[in-house]
Amino acid sequence: MPPPPRAGRRQGGGAARAQRPPPQEARRNCATEETLKERERRRRSRPLAFRPRSAVLRAPRRAGGWTGAGEAAPEVSRLLLDPQGGGRRSRCPRASPQGVQDVPWPLRISAQLRASQSRIPTQRRTGAPAGPPRERARRGGRRGEARSCLGSPLGTSGDTSTSSACPVSCCSFGLASEDTKKEVKQSQDLEKSGISRKNDLDLKEIVFVIQSQSNSFHAKRAEQLKKSIFKQAADLTQELPSVLLLHQLAKQEGAWTILPLLPHFSVTYSRNSSWIFFCEEETRIQIPKLLGTLSRYDPSKEWFLGKALHDEESTIIHHYAFSENPTVFKYPDFAAGWALSIPLVNKLTKRLKSESLKSDFTIDLKHEIALYIWDKGGGPPLTPVPEFCTDDVDFYCATTFHSFLPLCGKPVKKEDIFVAVKTCKKFHGDRIPIVKQTWESQASLIEYYSDYSENSIPTVDLGIPNTDRGHCGKTFAILERFLNRSQDKTAWLVIVDDDTLISISRLQHLLSCYDSGEPVFLGERYGYGLGTGGYSYITGGGGMVFSREAIRRLLASKCRCYSNDAPDDMVLGMCFSGLGIPVTHSPLFHQARPVDYPKDYLSHQVPISFHKHWNIDPVKVYFTWLAPTEEAKARQETQKGFREEL
């Protein structure tokens, strides 16, 4: 039904229309020449729904019902969200800048767009809800760019959440109405695709799984996150959810790979839960925003949600998967959190019961989980969720991840870290000079172990012939030499390859959080045969860190290499597994080059090491990613992160 005529509006025919001034004259009348008294009389004579927005905003302000802080007035939100409810455009054409300045109530268009968006989810081409205005603008789509009533981008900084105020004018309401029609249609498309506009979700329907580790430092951080979740639940006066620590769920070696635990989740939680939400120890969660985010998705359908990563180019750590176009496959950044709906958990459980895991090696868990769920197109791909974040600069983020280098007290002294470099004669001339040019000066205690003694370096000949495949014999000789010949006060041993790039100063920070009196075996964790009783190990290329106590227990056992050319890192993992000493994972160690990892993944890290010189300038890589000149920044991030309470 057409809206009623405005009070005082002439209802004449052509003669009346002929008396109307030309557009420029009308603009001047609307924006500059009308007296405030005449405006007020016209405003009060109209029904509320058909008044200009400046009047709509004034009425509740005088009544004390709206303060204008951070959101649009309720009446405006209703008009924005209901295009059939009388959202009629004003007679006024777009006001000139001079006319705009006369409007007494400026209001940010960005606030109104956020108000409308918070109630009507939008959809991207992939079928997932689009992010808030800033996120859509970041993705580069012009449709996502909020613009002012004068046609210029909102604000001066590009951030719609803190943009300059756009004064209320006749045209801005028309702009919002047009956007509303688009969002209503997008919302209808969402419902057809299975993403509900709103699903009532209680906190108890989410099972939180913290990907924790048994080491005392990591277990403590996980407990702090668990307390934070419980505190937020209490503040919301909701029933406490289930919060599980991964290292406590099962004693089996491969629990950290997640997939073996899915049958347990299915049996235990499928009846009363809707989601399994996974996160790391340092993930920060805003529970109200997480509830709002997950409520957009129909929990009766199969969902795999997360912050999407993709390879820039095919990489060895992913076995060169999707080599023709590596960007097409998306996998989650665990640091931002990721979620599985219960129907998907149940489906994966049936598959796990009918067929065993085929892969022998676990190298990059997040990529391999995404591959298993996708199942060559038989399962759902990852649905990117903009609210799952790894930085905290966006107001809409439900999760964040603090990028800092752990520091627990004072950094470990250089004299407490002994560095052993594995090399051989054929690499004395090309790899060793790179070490000396980059990170050698950071190490107080360092030796080069080779199959040939060369005084100019100098190298130590351990009497172990060089092998092309593994270096198990050489590595165990280094361990025995460290334990028998080094002074007792040297608490840590680091074994690296001659093509490893490492930051010793950052390692000093990291090791301050570990007790050298405990058996610690630290680095980047891989797995072998974990689905069939295998073991975890620290991959050697990124660097292997041992506490003195770990070496003492290892050598006191009878576990040794079965041959000199056996893979040393895997044999060490097998030995420590047999001793009941779990490996400790740190994502700051890297088995590959920076180009082998997604940029978004490295952006929230302060890396400690990289490996390999293939097709890169290793000196440039070192000074770009690891050089001590970055330590001041890393130290600031460290102190900021650890002072902040979870």
Side-chain angles (χ1 to χ4, degrees), residues 455-595:
N455 293 331
S456 61
I457 295 178
T459 61
V460 176
D461 184 0
L462 293 172
I464 306 295
N466 185 57
T467 55
D468 293 331
R469 295 188 300 171
H471 309 285
C472 192
K474 181 183 294 185
T475 296
F476 269 79
I478 292 172
L479 294 172
E480 291 176 356
R481 181 183 176 91
F482 171 81
L483 194 64
N484 297 329
R485 298 191 180 186
S486 65
Q487 299 179 6
D488 291 341
K489 66 178 183 180
T490 308
W492 300 95
L493 170 66
V494 183
I495 299 180
V496 298
D497 292 346
D498 51 11
D499 57 349
T500 300
L501 301 170
I502 190 169
S503 171
I504 300 299
S505 54
R506 293 179 184 174
L507 182 61
Q508 292 175 250
H509 281 69
L510 178 65
L511 292 182
S512 69
C513 297
Y514 299 94
D515 184 357
S516 61
E518 296 180 359
V520 178
F521 185 31
L522 173 69
E524 184 178 17
R525 178 179 56 195
Y526 281 10
Y528 175 73
L530 292 175
T532 57
Y535 51 86
S536 304
Y537 64 96
I538 297 300
T539 178
M544 299 182 290
V545 183
F546 306 80
S547 68
R548 175 174 286 275
E549 177 62 18
I551 298 174
R552 187 191 68 78
R553 295 193 188 186
L554 172 65
L555 296 182
S557 72
K558 300 301 181 181
C559 190
R560 294 293 188 273
C561 306
Y562 53 84
S563 66
N564 283 339
D565 65 349
D568 53 350
D569 48 6
M570 297 182 68
V571 170
L572 286 168
M574 181 177 60
C575 290
F576 280 118
S577 176
L579 292 172
I581 299 174
V583 303
T584 301
H585 172 67
S586 172
L588 305 182
F589 296 83
H590 302 87
Q591 170 68 16
R593 309 161 300 168
V595 295

Side-chain angles (χ1 to χ4, degrees), residues 194-316:
I195 304 177
S196 174
R197 294 175 61 177
K198 182 178 180 181
N199 294 289
D200 292 332
L201 182 66
D202 292 331
L203 187 55
K204 65 181 180 181
E205 297 178 55
I206 305 176
V207 177
F208 293 86
V209 179
I210 302 175
Q211 295 173 247
S212 58
Q213 302 185 71
S214 59
N215 177 271
S216 58
F217 165 65
H218 293 278
K220 180 179 178 181
R221 299 296 289 174
E223 288 288 353
Q224 289 175 322
L225 177 55
K226 181 177 180 179
K227 290 179 181 178
S228 172
I229 295 172
F230 283 159
K231 183 179 183 302
Q232 293 185 65
D235 292 341
L236 294 173
T237 65
Q238 290 207 27
E239 184 178 338
L240 296 182
S242 296
V243 181
L244 312 177
L245 303 189
L246 193 60
H247 75 276
Q248 296 176 349
L249 288 180
K251 298 301 181 181
Q252 64 189 90
E253 182 71 31
W256 63 271
T257 60
I258 307 295
L259 293 177
L261 297 177
L262 293 185
H264 168 70
F265 296 150
S266 177
V267 171
T268 309
Y269 301 106
S270 61
R271 182 181 297 272
N272 299 317
S273 302
S274 299
W275 297 94
I276 308 292
F277 181 81
F278 301 87
C279 61
E280 294 189 346
E281 299 158 4
E282 304 300 338
T283 306
R284 301 293 180 266
I285 305 172
Q286 299 294 329
I287 296 298
K289 293 181 180 179
L290 180 63
L291 285 169
T293 298
L294 294 180
S295 67
R296 295 206 311 266
Y297 300 87
D298 184 350
S300 66
K301 299 184 180 297
E302 297 173 1
W303 290 108
F304 175 30
L305 309 178
K307 176 188 175 182
L309 299 174
H310 64 81
D311 293 337
E312 306 292 335
E313 58 184 56
S314 60
T315 172
I316 188 174

